[in-house]
Amino acid sequence: MARKGTVAIVGRPNVGKSTLFNRIIRERLSIVEDTPGVTRDRIYSYSEWLTREFLIIDTGGITLDHKAPFAQQIKVQAEIAIEEADVIIFVVSYKDGIISDDQMIAKLLYKSKKPIILAVNKYDKQEKDSELYEYMTLGFGEPIPVSAAHGIGVGDLLDEVISYLDAIPVVEKPPGINFSLIGRPNAGKSSLVNAILGEERVIVSPIAGTTTDSIDTSFTRNHEKYTVIDTAGIRRRGKVYEKLEKYSVLRAVNAIERSDVVLVIIDGTVPITDQDTNIAGLAFEQNKPIILVVNKWDAIVDKETQTMNQIEKHIRGYFKYLSYAKMVFVSALEKKRLNQLFDTIKTVYEGLKIRVKTSVLNEILVKAQLLNPPPDFNGGRLKIYYATQPVGTIPTFIMFCNEPKYLHFSYKRFIENQIREHFGFEGIPIKILFRKRK
């Protein structure tokens, strides 16, 4: 299984790291200001170049000035990003030349033993000049001049990045179904892993944050092979800066990437927070099938006949973007409802394999358009001529139409509901793309 790969952008304050990050991901996600130290925490995003997708991390500026705001925390964050990255982009400023902070960062990067690409930012000239060779004294070979603000040289930089990422060895996916557990600290992830495995494989503690790394464990249940990936609890961003806390977030992102199905563990005894929805969003952004697992069902008091339905309705109000996701109530402590959990995992996993015959798909679409004709929108009315399902990890449908701009979002939702109603795809995301027929 080919890994997407991780790229970290590292450098001192105010050399244009966040501008370069935004240029690569093609949106303004990082805060960009002239004040050094604005980006204090790592920011993650997925990007793509030459059809190669990768995870890219923006980091705060590293400085020798220990009196600078959050200087030590920023350094720790950058070290974590360096440790987790497959390729590192070291950004310096052409306007400032090489200063002591650059040399200090270079020494830090030497120890990483990772591929380092030196990017000289704020270089607005069309041709390279001899002054660029001064940067070779940092010890990372010939630099690549770029202007992140204007997009100059960024393509050459990404070509170099991809050349390193393509060299990442392919890792064999364990046989069977791979699923990970993510969620807030102390939601009961490790207890659930132990209940699943039937033995104390993972340390369980009532202290939030005991698990600090992802742990893969393969096992067989009812003659079916599984690999469970336990991850550290994810704390609210910006609340703490301890190294292990922030390290766990990136570990969770990588665990999600390696999963067929993601279990979002929710503590049923405490109120839902934005933190829960943000954690689930990590898996949603990667188009992973998600199961909402409400743990600690045993600890919920005064249960009545409708209690489960009421709680499910309440929780789904916070996860409206996961309307397709299955929900299961379990008790890791009492090892209850685990059979239902595995039935759901298997149902969701099997849904990924569904392939719809083109003729049947188009028959359903014709009927859907007759039943509910598309509305007028943006000066026209959508007409879908033909649809097909290409091979892919996530079920994807391409709709060839007269003009994609005529598509109203509500009609796209209607089409998705029709596909789900007729073909299943229980608990998994599906992608629908509209393209103009040539």
Side-chain angles (χ1 to χ4, degrees), residues 27 37-38 44-45 49 67 87 104 107 127 133 143 166 169 175 180 222 242 258 263 284 291 320 343 368 378 398:
E27 60 179 292
V38 169
Y44 313 95
S45 184
W49 184 252
K67 294 181 181 180
V87 181
M104 179 269 292
K107 290 179 181 178
E127 303 292 336
Y133 294 102
D166 284 343
S180 60
N222 295 333
E242 286 83 355
R258 294 186 287 117
L263 310 188
F284 176 77
I291 301 174
K320 292 181 179 178
D343 288 344
N378 275 343
I398 300 176

Side-chain angles (χ1 to χ4, degrees), residues 336-354:
K336 289 184 177 179
R337 305 178 69 86
L338 297 185
N339 287 336
Q340 182 183 355
L341 175 60
F342 275 92
D343 288 344
T344 305
I345 291 173
K346 193 168 181 181
T347 297
V348 170
Y349 179 72
E350 291 299 323
L352 292 170
K353 302 178 183 178
I354 296 175

Side-chain angles (χ1 to χ4, degrees), residues 1-2 170-179 216 218 225-227 229 257-261 288 349 352-353 393:
M1 155 172 85
V170 175
V171 179
E172 289 296 325
K173 176 183 176 292
I177 304 173
N178 294 344
F179 65 95
D216 295 16
S218 296
K225 292 182 178 180
Y226 297 90
T227 297
I229 308 170
E257 182 183 321
R258 294 186 287 117
S259 303
D260 299 310
V261 180
K288 293 292 182 177
Y349 179 72
L352 292 170
K353 302 178 183 178
T393 305

Side-chain angles (χ1 to χ4, degrees), residues 150-343:
H150 301 102
I152 299 171
V154 175
D156 294 335
L157 177 65
L158 290 176
D159 286 344
E160 190 76 4
V161 168
I162 297 304
S163 70
Y164 284 112
L165 292 181
D166 284 343
I168 296 175
V170 175
V171 179
E172 289 296 325
K173 176 183 176 292
I177 304 173
N178 294 344
F179 65 95
S180 60
L181 288 74
I182 63 174
R184 279 196 282 171
N186 220 25
K189 296 182 300 300
S190 295
S191 297
L192 184 55
V193 171
N194 289 338
I196 288 170
L197 298 175
E199 56 181 295
E200 297 298 314
R201 287 276 189 99
V202 182
I203 298 172
V204 178
S205 167
I207 302 172
T210 300
T211 305
T212 55
D213 209 345
S214 59
I215 305 167
D216 295 16
T217 308
S218 296
F219 63 98
T220 300
R221 183 185 179 94
N222 295 333
H223 309 292
E224 189 84 40
K225 292 182 178 180
Y226 297 90
T227 297
V228 57
I229 308 170
D230 184 25
T231 61
I234 303 174
R235 291 187 181 275
R236 181 166 56 87
R237 282 191 64 222
K239 184 177 180 182
V240 289
Y241 283 95
E242 286 83 355
K243 180 174 181 177
L244 292 180
E245 294 286 0
K246 296 300 178 180
Y247 185 73
S248 68
V249 178
L250 188 52
R251 280 295 189 189
V253 171
N254 288 334
I256 291 167
E257 182 183 321
R258 294 186 287 117
S259 303
D260 299 310
V261 180
V262 178
L263 310 188
V264 177
I265 312 302
I266 299 169
D267 186 340
T269 65
V270 298
I272 300 292
T273 67
D274 289 342
Q275 186 182 358
D276 291 297
T277 58
N278 290 337
I279 289 169
L282 294 174
F284 176 77
E285 288 171 358
Q286 292 199 45
N287 279 323
K288 293 292 182 177
I290 296 169
I291 301 174
L292 300 173
V293 181
V294 184
N295 191 23
K296 305 185 183 181
W297 178 243
D298 58 285
I300 297 175
V301 297
D302 301 327
K303 291 192 284 284
E304 298 178 355
T305 305
Q306 294 298 317
T307 299
M308 188 176 291
N309 290 336
Q310 291 170 356
I311 293 176
E312 177 172 352
K313 184 178 180 181
H314 174 73
I315 291 175
R316 287 198 180 278
Y318 286 89
F319 293 92
K320 292 181 179 178
Y321 64 96
L322 292 176
S323 58
Y324 60 84
K326 295 278 191 178
M327 186 180 298
V328 181
F329 290 78
V330 302
S331 169
L333 181 65
E334 297 182 354
K335 300 182 180 180
K336 289 184 177 179
R337 305 178 69 86
L338 297 185
N339 287 336
Q340 182 183 355
L341 175 60
F342 275 92
D343 288 344

Side-chain angles (χ1 to χ4, degrees), residues 371-386:
L371 175 68
N372 182 17
D376 285 329
F377 184 68
N378 275 343
R381 186 186 296 269
L382 181 77
K383 182 173 178 59
I384 302 172
Y385 299 115
Y386 177 81

Side-chain angles (χ1 to χ4, degrees), residues 9 18 24 31 38-39 84 98 101 109 115 139 158 169 220 232 241 244 248 260 271 327 366 370 433:
I9 300 177
S18 293
I24 290 173
I31 300 170
V38 169
T39 307
E84 203 57 25
I98 299 173
D101 277 354
L109 294 177
L158 290 176
T220 300
Y241 283 95
L244 292 180
S248 68
D260 299 310
M327 186 180 298
V366 169
L370 291 173
L433 308 175

Side-chain angles (χ1 to χ4, degrees), residues 62-82:
I62 307 172
T63 177
L64 288 172
D65 182 5
H66 299 298
K67 294 181 181 180
F70 306 103
Q72 183 56 35
Q73 294 96 327
I74 290 171
K75 184 173 182 291
V76 168
Q77 294 302 297
E79 287 174 344
I80 296 167
I82 291 168

